[in-house]
Amino acid sequence: MDVLQKEVYEATPPVSRIAAKASVKKLLHPPSPAPSSSLDPPSREFYEGCYVVEPWSSTSRGTYGGDLICQGLNAAWQSVINRAAPTSNKTNNSNGSSNDGASFQPHSLHAYFVRAGSTESVMRWEVLKVSDSRNFANRCVLGYQSHNNSLVVTLQVSFTKDNCQIAKQRQFEQQVASGTMPKSWPVVFKRHPGPMFYQYRDNLHRLDIRTRYYGGHLTHGIPQEYYEPSDDFNLATTGDQERGFFVKINDDLGARIPNKDERDGGYGSNANGGGVGTDAGAPSATELIRRKYLALAYASDAFWAATWIKALGLPMGTTTAANVSLDHTLYFHDSNFELGRATKSTDDSNDNSNNSSNSDNNWLYLETQFVSMGNNRVLAIVNFYTLANDGKLIATVVQEMYGFVPKDVADKSRQLHDKVDNKGKLKSGVDAKL
C-alpha cells in the first residue's frame, strides 16, 4: 500500500491512476510452486500486479471487485497484445515480429469472486490461452493472492478484432467501393435509456454529487428519489422497474504511467500495460482506447449494488445490511465512448480513438433493473449510456449478489406494498411475497 500511495496517489506530475493500478508485469518464469494446469507451458502466461488491489472503503471487507476485474482484464489483454497472429493473418509490426494483438479489444468477460481479496500482497495472474483465431481470442484468468497462493477470482475474457462500429462501417464501404460483395451488411440498433436519463441529463446540478470511496476515482450523481420511499410501491412489479444515476471517471487517461522498467530493474514492455504511455511520453490512440476499457471495467462494479434497497421501495440509508458479489458479467458493445478528463494521444489522426474532449463533464448514465430477488440472492442488469448522442448504450453488466434481508427491512417494504390497497392484495389479484 505504501508503494501504491507514493507512486500513484502522490505522484508529481499526476499519473493515469486507474491504468497504473491495472498495470502488470510478465513473469518470465512460472511461480514456485506453480498453480496446477493441464495446459502446456506455451499455452499459459503468468503476470503479477504492479500494485495491490484496494478495498472500496476503509471499512469494507476484502478488496473492491472492480479493482480485481480491471487488473485481471489487463493481464488477459497483455497476452493478447503480444500474441502470434494466426498463420493466415500475419502482419509484421515495427519490431519485425508477427502479431496483430494491438487491434483486439474485449467484448465480454465473466468473473466469479471466489473469496475476499487482501492488501497483504499483489495479485498473481495465471492466464490460460484458450484460443486464438483471426477475429477472436479467448482467455481464462486465475487470480491468486501472491503471499499465500489463495485463489481469489476467476475470469473468462473474450476479445474481438476492432470492436468498433466506425471501423466496421469503413470496412463495409471499402468493400462495396471495390466491387466486393460484403459477407455481412451493417444493421445496428441499441436500447435507449429510460425517463430518468432525460429528466437529469441537462440538470446534473439537481443531483446529489458525491466523490466518496473508491480512492476518489469515481464521482456519482444520485437523484433525490433514491433517498425517499417509493410511491405506489408494488412487490409484484418492482422487478420491472428501471432506476438510474450518473457516474464520472476522475482520471486523466492521457497521463503517464510510472515507469516500472526503471524502478524494478526491467520487467519488459508489459510492465506498463503494453509499454506505452510511460514516463517517455503521451500514449498512442490505441493505448487510450485500452485505458478507456480498463476505466469502464473499474467503474462497472461501483455503487449501484448498494441501491438494491430501492428495489424494496425503501430509501438508501434504511439499513447497513450488506451484500457480496458472487459473479460479474460485462459486455462491451463498442469502442467509441468518452471517459475521464482531458485525454490527448500521440496519434490524433486516428479517428477511431474518439478521444475525450477537454471537458470534465464526461458523465455516464447507469440504469439498473433488479430483476430477481430470492433464495438470499439478487440479480441485476445494469446498462451504461453516454450522455452524448441522446444516450448511446456502450456496455451492459449482469451480476448476482448474495445477502440477507433483515426483518425490519422486510416489514417496512411489505408495509409500503400493502398501501396499494387496504387488503394487502395487488389490484390484479396476485399475491406478492417478500
Side-chain angles (χ1 to χ4, degrees):
M1 289 292 290
D2 291 341
V3 174
L4 175 66
Q5 182 69 28
K6 179 180 178 181
E7 296 191 359
V8 176
Y9 293 114
E10 298 176 358
T12 303
V15 301
S16 180
R17 294 179 298 170
I18 293 178
K21 282 165 54 62
S23 60
V24 295
K25 62 177 181 179
K26 185 176 181 180
L27 301 179
L28 300 181
H29 304 287
S32 181
S36 60
S37 173
S38 60
L39 297 179
D40 295 330
S43 298
R44 60 176 175 161
E45 295 178 356
F46 295 94
Y47 295 86
E48 189 173 85
C50 295
Y51 302 103
V52 296
V53 293
E54 300 176 275
W56 65 271
S57 79
S58 60
T59 59
S60 63
R61 173 180 175 269
T63 51
Y64 169 48
D67 218 349
L68 285 167
I69 292 168
C70 183
Q71 195 174 97
L73 170 62
N74 190 35
W77 208 331
Q78 295 312 306
S79 74
V80 174
I81 288 175
N82 296 311
R83 78 175 195 154
T87 304
S88 61
N89 194 43
K90 286 188 175 181
T91 57
N92 288 333
N93 65 9
S94 59
N95 296 322
S97 61
S98 297
N99 71 62
D100 62 349
S103 61
F104 279 70
Q105 301 89 35
H107 69 90
S108 69
L109 68 82
H110 194 159
Y112 280 99
F113 301 108
V114 180
R115 56 176 54 87
S118 169
T119 59
E120 291 186 58
S121 63
V122 296
M123 294 294 298
R124 185 178 66 248
W125 303 98
E126 179 183 5
V127 180
L128 310 182
K129 301 179 183 178
V130 178
S131 66
D132 281 289
S133 65
R134 185 173 62 180
N135 292 310
F136 290 92
N138 287 284
R139 300 293 186 264
C140 180
V141 185
L142 306 178
Y144 296 88
Q145 206 74 60
S146 60
H147 73 285
N148 60 5
N149 281 331
S150 176
L151 180 63
V152 172
V153 63
T154 68
L155 296 92
Q156 187 82 24
V157 189
S158 182
F159 297 82
T160 188
K161 189 173 184 179
D162 295 327
N163 188 31
C164 174
Q165 291 178 13
I166 293 177
K168 292 293 192 293
Q169 180 65 31
R170 183 180 294 117
Q171 292 168 7
F172 170 79
E173 293 172 354
Q174 291 172 346
Q175 289 177 327
V176 172
S178 67
T180 302
M181 177 62 69
K183 182 178 180 180
S184 178
W185 291 69
V187 178
V188 178
F189 66 88
K190 300 283 186 182
R191 178 184 176 91
H192 289 92
M196 293 186 77
F197 171 83
Y198 301 98
Q199 180 181 355
Y200 290 104
R201 175 185 58 181
D202 298 322
N203 298 286
L204 297 177
H205 62 278
R206 294 169 51 191
L207 300 171
D208 177 22
I209 306 297
R210 297 186 174 191
T211 304
R212 298 177 59 187
Y213 311 124
Y214 308 105
H217 305 306
L218 306 175
T219 292
H220 292 94
I222 309 164
Q224 184 60 35
E225 291 92 322
Y226 277 80
Y227 304 107
E228 301 169 349
S230 300
D231 296 329
D232 299 323
F233 174 69
N234 191 323
L235 276 167
T237 60
T238 189
D240 302 328
Q241 303 300 310
E242 297 164 345
R243 304 167 184 87
F245 61 91
F246 298 78
V247 65
K248 182 171 62 174
I249 307 290
N250 301 319
D251 197 12
D252 183 352
L253 303 184
R256 67 185 182 91
I257 294 178
N259 195 324
K260 311 291 293 181
D261 292 350
E262 293 181 0
R263 196 199 79 187
D264 293 323
Y267 286 158
S269 63
N270 284 328
N272 291 297
V276 283
T278 67
D279 294 321
S284 66
T286 300
E287 167 67 1
L288 277 178
I289 292 175
R290 191 185 71 88
R291 293 187 187 185
K292 289 192 300 184
Y293 274 86
L294 293 176
L296 184 55
Y298 179 88
S300 67
D301 192 35
F303 180 73
W304 64 261
T307 68
W308 69 273
I309 195 68
K310 284 300 297 178
L312 298 182
L314 302 174
M316 290 183 58
T318 298
T319 180
T320 58
N323 53 59
V324 295
S325 300
L326 295 175
D327 67 347
H328 187 90
T329 301
L330 175 56
Y331 299 95
F332 300 98
H333 303 311
D334 191 55
S335 294
N336 296 291
F337 58 90
E338 295 183 353
L339 281 181
R341 294 197 299 274
T343 55
K344 183 176 179 59
S345 75
T346 56
D347 182 17
D348 288 334
S349 62
N350 184 346
D351 57 10
N352 286 343
S353 66
N354 196 27
N355 294 335
S356 301
S357 68
N358 288 330
S359 171
D360 194 24
N361 196 32
N362 296 316
W363 291 86
L364 296 177
Y365 175 69
L366 277 65
E367 193 163 74
T368 305
Q369 186 177 18
F370 292 93
V371 298
S372 176
M373 174 180 281
N375 298 321
N376 299 325
R377 300 194 308 277
V378 182
L379 182 67
I381 300 174
V382 187
N383 288 315
F384 289 71
Y385 298 88
T386 63
L387 268 61
N389 301 317
D390 208 27
K392 177 184 176 182
L393 179 65
I394 61 170
T396 298
V397 165
V398 180
Q399 180 166 306
E400 192 169 46
M401 301 171 293
Y402 178 74
F404 302 95
V405 179
K407 182 179 183 303
D408 65 314
V409 172
D411 289 344
K412 291 176 181 177
S413 181
R414 183 68 203 203
Q415 290 169 8
L416 279 177
H417 166 77
D418 287 346
K419 291 181 180 179
V420 174
D421 65 29
N422 56 18
K423 295 181 180 179
K425 300 283 186 178
L426 300 180
K427 294 179 181 178
S428 64
V430 179
D431 284 320
K433 298 180 180 180
L434 184 65

